[in-house]
Amino acid sequence: MNIVVDLNRCQAYAQCAFLAPEVFELHGEEALLYVPAVPEDQQERVHRAAVACPVQAILVGGAAGADVR
Amino acid sequence: MSGELRDGRIVVVGASLAGLRAAETLRDEGFEGSLTLVGDEPHPPYDRPPLSKQVLLGRVPATGTGLPARRPVDAQWKLGVAATGVDGIGKRVFLANGEEVPYDRLLIATGTRARPWPNPAEAALDGVFALRTSDDAAGLAERLDAGPRRVLVIGAGFTGSEIASACRERDIPVTVVERGPAPLVGALGGTLAAVAAEMHRRHGVDLRCGVQVTSLEGDGRLTGARLSDGSTVEADVAVVALGAVRNTEWLAESGLAAGPRGVTCDAGCRAFNMYGIVTDDVFVAGDVARFPHPLFGYQLIALEHWGNAVAQAEVAAHNMVSAGPFRRPHLAVPTFWSSQFGHNIKSVGVPTYSDQVVVAQGSLREARLVVVYGYKGRITAAVSVNRAKWLDYYQNLIETAAPFPPEPGAADRTAPMIPLPSDVPDPAVLSHGPTVALTGHLPDRRLTLVRPGG
């Protein structure tokens, strides 16, 4: 499972950093750093973070190009 | 969608963010024909912004920035092979491995690459890097892990500044050399460039502006650099951050309006041919596109922005499967972000399309502020440093062509705002690229036709 955060949209409400602190972290006051390839044991937390994001900036999905042959 | 547009063969050249989102949008809108994605890198689509941040900080491996899919695309992927040309009459794309891929409609999303160091022998020294691809980031991150004595960053645009920031956070000594007067000046103008310079210095960067690197020194392995003021810098790693070059060379024989400034297209992402006639079957999206924007005088602009790659890809894909009157224009207001030295810099509009600025909120001193840009009495951009929540408000003012300076209510003080010159330099004097290339002319710099006897 991969994520990407639309950081144009992100306004540092930090809900994600509370719900999945091993994946999302505020760097300084409002710069968000995150782990794009979500570890298996964090997936449930990341799903919750994506739903909770007030500006809906977190996109969750399978790895793009997984069907590369 | 008519049946004809739902079927057929679509080829997308460029398998990064824009190519991927276009492919997904095509399927979302009901395209049922064959879809081929061609990419010169061997990796499936990955996200580039983390490469100069999480990856260089050592928190995420360079191979770990893969993009999530929005939906399955049921495409044939040709990765690790570059496109080398297009035959617009026979409607086929030529690949570097000799293969030919026929198309009914083509999307060009080949983006940009890092501008290389001009001296190839010096560029080949061990320890000299650029930063654009995940392979670049892997190599550079490995060197930073090894604890270099000093890193030299050539060019203080966003990428160069983010690299310097990551190094300082890891306590690695850094020298930044920029030919222009200050970091980020090409994208943000003089007022915020002064804030950026202060951020560099406060975090211990050895920042040298107004000079350039004249040569990289070393015998097989980089040992340092010589600067135009006669001084030298000892460094075992150098990162060339001189901006981007658009990947259009492969279109030289295509008959399309493609050149160093990008591939010119209309507001609906349809490419122009070299006679300035719009094509019906070739579309462009992302960093490589050069398109007219109504908010900025219909000037042709090219944006090296993550958000533009996504938005323009969606419009291009929609238009590839929609008949004339159902096509949409690409009108999104340009936006971007950068994080460096613990600060979050965000922008809406086009800051270089300006003649004046005001500090509308906060102050330069606390490096927590919103700067609003105006052009001929109209708001054209706003940039925040650690005040992102305010930008939506200014985006609305930009979209509605609100007067500059902004009315009270847009400010956190009662004293009148004093406009300053926006101080955007000629990009030719800078080491770093501007990331927004205004490739037409500002309206007040047009020639005036003089009518004799009038």
Side-chain angles (χ1 to χ4, degrees):
Chain A
M1 182 173 107
N2 285 354
I3 53 169
V4 69
V5 181
D6 183 345
L7 292 173
N8 288 315
R9 236 185 236 196
C10 174
Q11 295 184 356
Y13 286 98
Q15 296 302 305
C16 56
F18 291 116
L19 288 165
E22 289 183 31
V23 175
F24 303 96
E25 173 200 0
L26 276 187
H27 201 58
E29 277 180 61
E30 60 173 47
L32 184 72
L33 290 185
Y34 61 93
V35 179
V38 180
E40 203 135 319
D41 63 346
Q42 294 294 313
Q43 294 186 352
E44 180 53 38
R45 285 172 171 274
V46 166
H47 275 299
R48 255 186 278 159
V51 171
C53 176
V55 292
Q56 290 294 291
I58 304 168
L59 175 67
V60 181
D67 57 336
V68 170
R69 297 187 281 271
Chain B
M1 193 192 321
S2 71
E4 192 187 332
L5 291 171
R6 194 181 300 133
D7 293 317
R9 299 160 299 182
I10 290 183
V11 175
V12 178
V13 182
S16 192
L17 180 61
L20 171 68
R21 295 302 179 227
E24 291 169 340
T25 306
L26 287 168
R27 292 300 188 203
D28 255 356
E29 300 223 0
F31 177 66
E32 291 170 353
S34 84
L35 183 56
T36 306
L37 279 106
V38 178
D40 63 343
E41 289 186 67
H43 315 289
Y46 60 88
D47 207 29
R48 297 183 199 275
L51 299 179
S52 55
K53 306 175 186 78
Q54 291 97 310
V55 172
L56 293 191
L57 288 170
R59 314 230 173 142
V60 168
T63 51
T65 76
L67 281 164
R70 285 180 179 172
R71 53 160 296 137
V73 290
D74 185 22
Q76 196 185 355
W77 297 78
K78 295 183 183 294
L79 300 181
V81 55
T84 54
V86 174
D87 167 11
I89 297 167
K91 300 186 78 149
R92 49 202 176 136
V93 175
F94 304 111
L95 304 186
N97 62 7
E99 215 179 318
E100 292 177 9
V101 189
Y103 66 83
D104 297 305
R105 277 152 288 160
L106 172 67
L107 177 65
I108 295 167
T110 43
T112 63
R113 61 183 184 275
R115 183 179 297 283
W117 184 246
N119 180 321
E122 293 174 11
L125 289 169
D126 182 44
V128 178
F129 293 88
L131 183 54
R132 174 74 192 169
T133 66
S134 72
D135 293 347
D136 294 338
L140 180 56
E142 192 185 318
R143 285 306 169 90
L144 298 188
D145 287 344
R149 278 180 303 134
R150 178 169 291 274
V151 174
L152 167 66
V153 178
I154 308 171
F158 287 107
T159 304
S161 298
E162 288 178 3
I163 294 165
S165 169
C167 289
R168 289 309 301 140
E169 195 164 330
R170 303 181 65 170
D171 218 19
I172 298 166
V174 183
T175 298
V176 174
V177 177
E178 165 58 50
R179 187 162 66 172
L184 309 185
V185 68
L188 302 180
T191 299
L192 278 170
V195 175
E198 175 58 24
M199 280 198 264
H200 278 251
R201 295 208 163 96
R202 204 170 49 241
H203 288 84
V205 174
D206 169 28
L207 175 65
R208 307 200 194 175
C209 296
V211 291
Q212 52 182 323
V213 173
T214 52
S215 65
L216 296 172
E217 311 276 314
D219 186 8
R221 185 176 273 269
L222 178 78
T223 54
R226 210 169 278 284
L227 308 190
S228 55
D229 60 359
S231 63
T232 56
V233 176
E234 280 186 27
D236 39 359
V237 172
V239 191
V240 178
L242 297 175
V245 182
R246 284 162 226 289
N247 292 320
T248 57
E249 292 84 350
W250 68 287
L251 296 168
E253 306 294 319
S254 66
L256 295 170
R261 290 171 160 186
V263 183
T264 309
C265 61
D266 72 0
C269 311
R270 294 182 299 173
F272 284 104
N273 72 14
M274 64 188 189
Y275 303 117
I277 300 171
V278 78
T279 56
D280 286 323
D281 48 9
V282 182
F283 294 73
V284 199
D287 292 12
V288 77
R290 179 177 181 235
F291 64 99
H293 201 303
L295 281 176
F296 308 100
Y298 288 97
Q299 185 166 190
L300 293 170
I301 60 177
L303 301 170
E304 297 163 28
H305 296 165
W306 188 95
N308 184 65
V310 175
Q312 199 169 20
E314 289 169 353
V315 173
H318 169 85
N319 291 346
M320 289 177 88
V321 293
S322 303
F326 299 102
R327 287 182 177 152
R328 291 203 312 250
H330 174 51
L331 301 175
V333 177
T335 55
F336 68 85
W337 78 89
S338 168
S339 60
Q340 46 186 279
F341 304 108
H343 287 74
N344 191 31
I345 301 172
K346 295 184 72 167
S347 169
V348 295
V350 176
T352 49
Y353 191 83
S354 61
D355 51 18
Q356 290 188 313
V357 299
V358 289
V359 178
Q361 311 198 0
S363 71
L364 297 169
R365 194 180 39 77
E366 59 182 333
R368 198 162 179 276
L369 69 161
V370 178
V371 173
V372 177
Y373 295 69
Y375 184 70
K376 297 218 171 287
R378 175 165 80 78
I379 296 175
T380 53
V383 176
S384 70
V385 180
N386 282 0
R387 289 226 166 176
K389 288 187 176 68
W390 277 95
L391 281 190
D392 280 351
Y393 174 81
Y394 291 104
Q395 179 164 341
N396 182 19
L397 296 184
I398 296 165
E399 284 168 341
T400 52
F404 176 92
E407 297 288 319
D412 61 354
R413 71 204 65 175
T414 51
M417 289 181 263
I418 312 209
L420 308 165
S422 69
D423 193 13
V424 175
D426 178 348
V429 306
L430 308 173
S431 297
H432 59 280
T435 69
V436 178
L438 296 170
T439 63
H441 299 277
L442 284 180
D444 60 345
R445 290 171 205 167
R446 280 187 191 147
L447 294 176
T448 309
L449 185 65
V450 179
R451 293 179 189 281

